Amino acid sequence: LIKHIFLSKDKSVQIKLPTIQTVFSFLGVPIDPDEIECILANLIYKNLVRGYIAHQKQVLVLSKKNPFPLEAVRNPSETL
């Protein structure tokens, strides 16, 4: 989902957390901002996303180089 937002934003390395919240709401999954940060923090921790969360600015800042590493795509049971 984050990758789709990234691609739809012309590969902008900054994605506002309210934008992510809006997409979740559009998909019928109301989610609170703290939950979004938790999900993103786990994706970053598991190396599925390269970047960091700017909490005060409410922005996910992605790496300019390879924000979605291919080596993270492995056996799904390893990421759980």
Side-chain angles (χ1 to χ4, degrees):
L1 180 63
I2 305 304
K3 188 172 184 177
H4 288 288
I5 296 170
F6 168 73
L7 294 172
S8 72
K9 294 275 189 186
D10 295 325
K11 298 185 179 181
S12 172
V13 294
Q14 294 187 358
I15 301 173
K16 295 180 189 250
L17 298 186
T19 300
I20 298 169
Q21 185 176 14
T22 301
V23 172
F24 270 103
S25 294
F26 179 76
L27 294 173
V29 183
I31 192 165
D32 132 320
D34 291 334
E35 287 179 284
I36 292 171
E37 284 193 36
C38 182
I39 291 167
L40 294 173
N42 280 299
L43 290 172
I44 292 167
Y45 174 76
K46 293 178 179 183
N47 294 317
L48 297 172
V49 173
R50 285 192 183 143
Y52 63 92
I53 302 166
H55 179 75
Q56 285 186 331
K57 293 183 179 183
Q58 293 291 297
V59 172
L60 169 65
V61 181
L62 297 169
S63 170
K64 288 181 181 179
K65 183 178 180 183
N66 199 15
F68 303 97
L70 291 176
E71 62 270 10
V73 179
R74 55 183 176 258
N75 185 348
S77 65
E78 291 178 22
T79 59
L80 299 175

